[in-house]
Amino acid sequence: MELDLGQVTLIGSTDWLAKKMELDRGKVTLIGCTICLMLTMHFSIQLVTEHFMSWKKPKEQKAIIIIVLMAPLYAIDSFIGLIDFMGSKPFFTFLDSVKECYEAIVMAKFLALMYTYLNISISKNIVPDEIKGRQIHHSFPMTLFQPHTAHLNHHTLKLLKNWTWQFVVIRPVCSILMIVLQLLGVYPSWVSWTFTMILNISVSLALYSLVIFYHVFAKELAPHKPLAKFLCVKGIVFFVFWQGILLDILVALGIIRSQHFWLDVEHIQEGIQNVLVIVEMVFFAIFMRHAYSAAPYRQEAVTSSGDKKKE
């Protein structure tokens, strides 16, 4: 089959137009993501500044600042991945590991913040008398390893803390092993699924301990808006994790696929994930302004100064 000059010219023009439209879409996406990143940074830095301006309880507010910085860190991390769109698999694994390791720290700091609100100190063996002896009801599958009902004391509180902190240790260890194995070229699918299962069990245990703690102390923690605070942390973890699973399913079903020989489907999936995370972090940064507001510390600072003047 022979093509005349006019057909060749038409095909060439069509390819040029397709590439031009694709470049324009890429530019629009990058500009939009840049705006979203700037908004996330604006809301987060503003909130952190407000806490520094009302620095009344350092122990609580240090934990809050670490939690608040979760949104901009996720956005920056994903933006880097979007700019270096054609990065290698170890590179994207490293970016994911940065986010997930910070996520582990945030979970630990969230529990520490709740402990501080209730004047609990595991290291100093301080547990207020009014909360001792409360019942903790475990659900399946934890009942396979723990009694269905346990009484609150120093041991059970320490156990909840350890369940959270195990993720802080396991997450970076798994990340280092994953990156090393990928660089060595020894990373079969069964190894990937093994790491996925380990991390899922680990993060589920950490989240379970936070849920149990909230359930037991919901009444005492009510003035501190614990549900909103918890949803900020869990929401970020939930969206990033499950949308990643959803994208994997869409790729497996062939709904997300590559139309170009120079771009494989894995990079397209990674790009979509990064764009979604960047956009979502704007909303989480706004939500955190409500959940982790500095207003209570400003009011307390004003009250304290007023009391001093009276004296």
Side-chain angles (χ1 to χ4, degrees):
M1 181 177 178
E2 294 183 0
L3 297 175
D4 60 28
L5 185 59
Q7 287 175 312
V8 171
T9 303
L10 180 61
I11 292 171
S13 300
T14 305
D15 288 343
W16 177 84
L17 183 61
K19 283 187 176 181
K20 179 67 175 172
M21 290 176 65
E22 185 178 341
L23 285 173
D24 289 342
R25 284 199 299 269
K27 286 180 180 178
V28 170
T29 301
L30 188 59
I31 291 170
C33 287
T34 303
I35 293 171
C36 288
L37 174 62
M38 292 173 67
L39 287 171
T40 301
M41 294 292 292
H42 168 73
F43 292 127
S44 300
I45 292 173
Q46 191 177 52
L47 181 55
V48 169
T49 303
E50 288 174 5
H51 274 282
F52 277 125
M53 295 295 288
S54 310
W55 200 248
K56 184 65 179 176
K57 295 184 177 180
K59 191 173 181 181
E60 290 181 15
Q61 290 174 283
K62 282 178 185 176
I64 287 173
I65 287 171
I66 289 172
I67 295 169
V68 167
L69 291 177
M70 187 180 187
L73 185 136
Y74 267 53
I76 292 170
D77 189 278
S78 295
F79 191 75
I80 292 171
L82 194 63
I83 292 174
D84 195 353
F85 188 67
M86 296 300 291
S88 63
K89 192 167 183 178
F91 172 72
F92 286 123
T93 302
F94 170 75
L95 289 181
D96 288 339
S97 299
V98 170
K99 289 186 290 190
E100 288 162 356
C101 288
Y102 196 82
E103 167 197 318
I105 295 171
V106 165
M107 284 188 184
K109 284 298 178 181
F110 178 82
L111 185 61
L113 180 63
M114 297 298 107
Y115 276 24
T116 303
Y117 286 152
L118 296 170
N119 298 316
I120 296 171
S121 175
I122 300 299
S123 59
K124 296 179 181 178
N125 197 14
I126 299 174
V127 180
D129 293 334
E130 59 269 21
I131 66 176
K132 285 182 179 177
R134 289 192 183 181
Q135 290 186 341
I136 297 177
H137 300 287
H138 291 294
S139 55
F140 182 84
M142 291 307 297
T143 49
L144 298 174
F145 313 98
Q146 295 288 323
H148 183 268
T149 303
H151 292 282
L152 189 70
N153 53 34
H154 180 267
H155 172 73
T156 51
L157 287 171
K158 188 176 181 180
L159 190 63
L160 291 177
K161 182 179 180 180
N162 290 340
W163 286 352
T164 304
W165 272 93
Q166 53 80 27
F167 185 55
V168 181
V169 177
I170 291 175
R171 176 65 257 190
V173 169
C174 286
S175 297
I176 292 170
L177 289 174
M178 288 163 69
I179 293 169
V180 170
L181 290 173
Q182 286 179 18
L183 290 173
L184 293 175
V186 187
Y187 200 70
S189 59
W190 68 267
V191 172
S192 175
W193 279 107
T194 300
F195 278 123
T196 301
M197 289 177 62
I198 292 171
L199 291 172
N200 284 344
I201 293 171
S202 179
V203 71
S204 298
L205 183 58
L207 286 171
Y208 177 80
S209 66
L210 296 181
V211 171
I212 285 290
F213 190 85
Y214 167 73
H215 181 71
V216 174
F217 297 109
K219 185 178 179 180
E220 286 81 2
L221 292 171
H224 302 285
K225 297 186 286 189
L227 183 58
K229 287 179 168 64
F230 180 67
L231 288 177
C232 281
V233 176
K234 191 175 181 181
I236 293 176
V237 176
F238 176 85
F239 275 103
V240 173
F241 175 77
W242 284 108
Q243 77 189 10
I245 297 294
L246 179 61
L247 289 174
D248 285 336
I249 294 171
L250 294 177
V251 168
L253 294 175
I255 297 173
I256 297 177
R257 57 183 183 272
S258 176
Q259 304 288 343
H260 309 281
F261 71 91
W262 52 271
L263 184 63
D264 59 56
V265 70
E266 286 186 3
H267 284 89
I268 294 174
Q269 178 186 349
E270 204 63 54
I272 294 172
Q273 172 79 327
N274 286 328
V275 170
L276 290 174
V277 170
I278 292 168
V279 173
E280 289 161 2
M281 289 309 112
V282 179
F283 297 98
F284 279 110
I286 295 170
F287 187 26
M288 282 187 177
R289 286 191 56 77
H290 163 71
Y292 294 95
S293 172
Y297 300 100
R298 282 200 299 270
Q299 292 168 1
E300 190 166 336
V302 170
T303 304
S304 299
S305 61
D307 292 341
K308 287 180 180 178
K309 286 180 181 179
K310 288 179 182 179
E311 291 174 1

